[in-house]
Amino acid sequence: MRVTVCVNGTFRYPDYIRHYAEAGALGCFHFAHRRGRDAAALGLRPGQSHNVWPKHYLHGAAFRAAPGGLRTILGQGLCDAWQAAVLRRWQPCDSLEVVIGAVADRVIARARRDGTPVLGHPVTSHPTRFRDQVDRARDDLGLKPEPRARDDAERRAAEIAGCDLILADSRAVARSFTEAGIAEHRVAVLRPGFDAARFHPRAPSDIDRTRFLVVCIGLITPRKGQHVLLRAWRRLALPNAELVLIGTPGRDAGAVLVDCPPGVTRLGHVEHSRLRRILARASCLVLPSAEDGFGQAALEAMACGVPVIVSDAVGAAELVRPGRSGFVVPALQVEPLMAALERLYRDRALAVAMGQAAAVDAAAASFGWPAYVGEVLALHRGLIDRAGRPYGEAA
């Protein structure tokens, strides 16, 4: 079996793409990241990866320099250029895995012409729900709805229609697709794994007991909801407390951070080794997203023994047992988030006990990346085995 994997960016694939190769199933991994991220850096052999790195830099330049409407047009053009680069290097394969939602319609169409089955991996909820949730977050900040390319809806619909199977990271994402009319037999749920060698339960001595340390991880955008956390933090004004925001600025980050209160530390990209040290000291992790297909940081924090507070718009909320391993709060609401933070602040013993329970729940609910890849490859084998049936027919 030869599987081609296409990711317009990287998503979390660098954490586990090597396991496709180790299973003897990887044709080529097409992606877009910084220059120098080559096959060796991914644990692959030469020729097994194709990094369209100019797209990464040009997209960043367009984001920084262009106004909203023009930025959307340029972003769409760069996505199309990425697809063209992938198609120039196209090799026949038995199955295609592609991250959808950033317009991969032309790559999918090529696979369909070849008679190749397609597994589509959305990293967010269905486009209709995604758009509604993002617009809610932007409205909460007083921003206008995000500009969209003229044919955006049609192309995203074409992506979904071209997939034999949708691989959802959470039940919430799967539900968003079935509620939009996608047949249940075309949607599979497979929760992501994590690297247990990096993210493992901390020792009691690791915890910073001298202060209340809250960590939030994610691209700084209205969608990730950091502005709600910052409002809660300002209103709480907790003595001897620190909030650490980890993540690079995304679209409209300025509006998110415009009223950043005291007691907030901002970090950009943090490597896994350093992230593990930060999480080991943390009192809790908060993911206040208005929309988040999964929220990998929540799983990794729980695996380290850190209690989590997540919004009900985060897919990983399915892992949290409220009152045992953390709290689930309504998205874009300040008061429930304040109440959860204050409870952990006032009762540090509860926070430690919740963290211990979180580590147990994470280990029970998920598994390592090799097992995850094994499950994904089993889905590919199923698609290949029934590739001769009429398109869209149930297995």
Side-chain angles (χ1 to χ4, degrees):
M1 179 174 66
R2 181 184 177 92
V3 177
T4 291
V5 179
C6 296
V7 184
N8 190 349
T10 56
F11 190 43
R12 62 173 84 95
Y13 279 81
D15 290 340
Y16 58 84
I17 191 66
R18 68 185 183 279
H19 298 302
Y20 287 68
E22 289 168 0
L26 182 63
C28 186
F29 175 47
H30 300 272
F31 67 108
H33 197 53
R34 294 188 299 269
R35 188 175 186 179
R37 180 61 73 92
D38 56 9
L42 296 167
L44 306 177
R45 298 192 307 274
Q48 286 188 307
S49 70
H50 173 213
N51 183 6
V52 189
W53 56 264
K55 184 261 177 184
H56 173 84
Y57 294 100
L58 290 170
H59 191 273
F63 165 76
R64 290 188 297 271
L70 179 58
R71 188 165 58 207
T72 299
I73 295 171
L74 290 173
Q76 182 68 68
L78 290 171
C79 287
D80 288 343
W82 173 81
Q83 292 197 84
V86 170
L87 292 173
R88 281 195 295 271
R89 294 277 295 270
W90 185 259
Q91 295 290 329
C93 57
D94 298 306
S95 189
L96 170 67
E97 180 174 335
V98 60
V99 169
I100 60 174
V103 186
D105 55 334
R106 296 172 185 175
V107 172
I108 292 172
R110 172 57 190 269
R112 298 240 62 91
R113 289 196 300 272
D114 290 351
T116 302
V118 179
L119 186 153
H121 190 179
V123 301
T124 62
S125 51
H126 185 275
T128 302
R129 177 171 174 77
F130 175 83
R131 181 174 63 248
D132 290 345
Q133 296 297 84
V134 169
D135 285 349
R136 279 186 61 208
R138 294 178 65 82
D139 182 68
D140 194 51
L141 276 166
L143 298 172
K144 295 179 180 179
E146 197 169 61
R148 295 178 178 90
R150 178 175 50 82
D151 59 351
D152 180 74
E154 292 82 359
R155 296 185 67 173
R156 290 176 187 264
E159 283 185 314
I160 295 168
C163 295
D164 295 278
L165 187 68
I166 301 294
L167 176 62
D169 290 337
S170 65
R171 293 192 300 272
V173 169
R175 190 163 54 248
S176 75
F177 277 82
T178 56
E179 288 175 352
I182 306 304
E184 289 187 7
H185 74 263
R186 291 184 59 208
V187 183
V189 180
L190 182 59
R191 189 174 292 134
F194 66 93
D195 188 341
R198 291 172 173 165
F199 300 102
H200 51 84
R202 59 188 176 179
S205 58
D206 291 334
I207 304 171
D208 187 345
R209 300 176 188 273
T210 64
R211 58 182 170 171
F212 186 63
L213 177 61
V214 177
V215 177
C216 177
I217 303 172
L219 185 72
I220 310 249
T221 65
R223 179 172 76 90
K224 292 293 188 177
Q226 291 98 340
H227 62 285
V228 180
L229 176 56
L230 292 173
R231 290 171 186 169
W233 196 255
R234 177 176 289 280
R235 288 175 57 179
L236 284 169
L238 301 172
N240 198 29
E242 180 184 4
L243 169 61
V244 177
L245 295 183
I246 299 175
T248 55
R251 185 172 293 185
D252 294 304
V256 174
L257 301 170
V258 67
D259 194 25
C260 194
V264 177
T265 300
R266 286 180 52 200
L267 302 176
H269 174 72
V270 173
E271 295 295 336
H272 281 310
S273 57
R274 185 185 179 195
L275 180 60
R276 170 61 175 74
R277 292 195 296 271
I278 294 172
L279 288 175
R281 295 167 41 233
S283 305
C284 70
L285 175 122
V286 179
L287 289 187
S289 305
E291 194 287 331
D292 208 325
F294 184 69
Q296 185 73 15
L299 174 59
E300 292 170 349
M302 291 175 67
C304 291
V306 179
V308 298
I309 303 173
V310 300
S311 81
D312 56 6
V314 174
E318 298 166 1
L319 301 177
V320 181
R321 298 166 67 180
R324 169 183 160 84
S325 55
F327 299 101
V328 178
V329 298
L332 300 178
Q333 293 188 27
V334 174
E335 287 77 9
L337 178 54
M338 290 174 60
L341 282 167
E342 188 164 23
R343 185 173 178 190
L344 294 178
Y345 176 79
R346 302 294 178 194
D347 193 341
R348 305 298 175 86
L350 175 65
V352 172
M354 279 188 165
Q356 293 169 343
V360 173
D361 290 352
S366 192
F367 37 62
W369 287 125
Y372 171 82
V373 170
E375 295 291 332
V376 176
L377 293 179
L379 293 175
H380 281 289
R381 291 188 191 96
L383 290 176
I384 294 167
D385 288 346
R386 68 184 188 91
R389 299 184 186 183
Y391 175 49
E393 180 182 319

